[in-house]
Amino acid sequence: MITILDSSQRAIKNWWISILIGLLYIFVGVWVMRTPLESYISLSIIFSVFIFVSGISQIAFSISNKNEMTDWGWYLAGGILDLVIGILLLAHPLMTMAILPLYVGFWLLFQSILSIGLSFQLKSAGIPQWGWLLFWSIITLLFSFLLLANPLFAGLSIVYMTAFALITAGIFRIFLGINLKKLDKLFKD
């Protein structure tokens, strides 16, 4: 099976999208942390828009790299899943407030599992920083488990857990983008 990193002698286009997604994750995470007393409605709306935009970005990344990687469909599937979840969250704001921790928990669970797999792909390509990517993926996975273990836990704790989870997912995406840029440069040389 050929992975994203097995397509040697080809550039990985749009590596910077991962960095932008990471910065967006961190921005939203910091915003959530700095405004804990803001309405829970705003958190649900911001998160819904964030997931929607993240899905569109992941779809664009996968489609733009479909000729460079044979498993681009998995990345496309992840983007479509984010897009569908974003649409559902935007369409039902009251329901979203009631079950936001479950949405966030399952979404982060899916993202962290994808990230763990990507970390091992980077390891097989000989990228020395793959361990940091794995570390941040596991941290994000732990936050997803915390959210899923106690979804009715309301108030500031869910706000802070969501903020920390978004920040760790953002750090992973930035590390990933930097490593994809290195691969892009390596393939061009």
Side-chain angles (χ1 to χ4, degrees), residues 20-80:
L20 287 179
I21 292 171
L23 291 172
L24 180 62
Y25 284 14
I26 291 171
F27 173 78
V28 172
V30 169
W31 179 82
V32 168
M33 191 179 297
R34 291 184 53 91
T35 58
L37 300 177
E38 289 287 329
S39 160
Y40 195 68
I41 295 171
S42 359
L43 177 60
S44 66
I45 291 170
I46 295 282
F47 186 76
S48 301
V49 170
F50 169 69
I51 295 294
F52 180 79
V53 171
S54 177
I56 291 172
S57 299
Q58 288 183 37
I59 290 169
F61 175 79
S62 64
I63 290 173
S64 69
N65 284 293
K66 70 180 182 179
N67 295 326
E68 281 75 29
M69 50 190 205
T70 58
D71 61 346
W72 67 276
W74 287 106
Y75 301 98
L76 178 64
I80 291 171

Side-chain angles (χ1 to χ4, degrees), residues 6-188:
D6 291 330
S7 54
S8 61
Q9 304 304 318
R10 294 186 180 170
I12 296 176
K13 297 178 193 171
N14 301 324
W15 51 265
W16 52 270
I17 290 175
S18 185
I19 293 175
L20 287 179
I21 292 171
L23 291 172
L24 180 62
Y25 284 14
I26 291 171
F27 173 78
V28 172
V30 169
W31 179 82
V32 168
M33 191 179 297
R34 291 184 53 91
T35 58
L37 300 177
E38 289 287 329
S39 160
Y40 195 68
I41 295 171
S42 359
L43 177 60
S44 66
I45 291 170
I46 295 282
F47 186 76
S48 301
V49 170
F50 169 69
I51 295 294
F52 180 79
V53 171
S54 177
I56 291 172
S57 299
Q58 288 183 37
I59 290 169
F61 175 79
S62 64
I63 290 173
S64 69
N65 284 293
K66 70 180 182 179
N67 295 326
E68 281 75 29
M69 50 190 205
T70 58
D71 61 346
W72 67 276
W74 287 106
Y75 301 98
L76 178 64
I80 291 171
L81 180 65
D82 280 359
L83 181 66
V84 169
I85 289 172
I87 290 169
L88 288 172
L89 292 173
L90 288 168
H92 305 288
L94 292 177
M95 179 184 71
T96 301
M97 290 185 321
I99 58 176
L100 182 62
L102 287 174
Y103 275 126
V104 173
F106 281 114
W107 176 75
L108 286 170
L109 178 68
F110 180 76
Q111 291 296 319
S112 60
I113 290 170
L114 272 175
S115 300
I116 288 169
L118 218 57
S119 299
F120 285 110
Q121 286 183 16
L122 290 170
K123 177 186 179 190
S124 69
I127 301 296
Q129 293 86 9
W130 74 271
W132 281 108
L133 297 170
L134 180 62
F135 171 77
W136 288 112
S137 300
I138 291 170
I139 295 295
T140 304
L141 182 68
L142 292 175
F143 278 118
S144 73
F145 287 146
L146 286 173
L147 286 169
L148 292 171
N150 198 355
L152 299 177
F153 190 59
L156 296 179
S157 61
I158 192 65
V159 171
Y160 285 122
M161 285 175 36
T162 301
F164 287 128
L166 288 168
I167 290 169
T168 59
I171 291 169
F172 169 83
R173 290 300 233 167
I174 290 171
F175 273 104
L176 175 63
I178 291 167
N179 283 299
L180 289 176
K181 180 181 179 184
K182 290 176 184 176
L183 280 176
D184 185 43
K185 184 178 179 189
L186 178 70
F187 290 150
K188 286 181 180 179

